[in-house]
Amino acid sequence: MVRTGKPFWKNALRATSYSDALYTPIAASESLTAAAAIPILATPFRLVVGVLLVGYRSTQTVSEATVSRLSRYLATF
């Protein structure tokens, strides 16, 4: 996500193993079941300067609609 500058989301994080490329220590330590990461971009070069990470510990799922809502929220700043 940092290299591409595109949002990322994943459900069923508990099924991700340590050897999986999608494994993140944050997801494991926080017992997240689903998460979305939205890049915070600096203009004019659209460099990733931060990430808004949203995670769920419940059965809540994330989708493209979730990422879209969070991206619109970020655009208000």
Side-chain angles (χ1 to χ4, degrees), residues 14-60:
R14 289 187 181 163
T16 305
S17 71
Y18 181 75
S19 61
D20 192 320
L22 298 175
Y23 173 83
T24 63
I26 294 171
S29 66
E30 293 294 332
S31 301
L32 300 180
T33 60
I38 295 83
I40 300 171
L41 304 172
T43 56
F45 302 110
R46 297 188 51 81
L47 297 173
V48 177
V49 295
V51 175
L52 172 63
L53 177 64
V54 176
Y56 296 98
R57 293 184 185 109
S58 64
T59 58
Q60 178 76 29

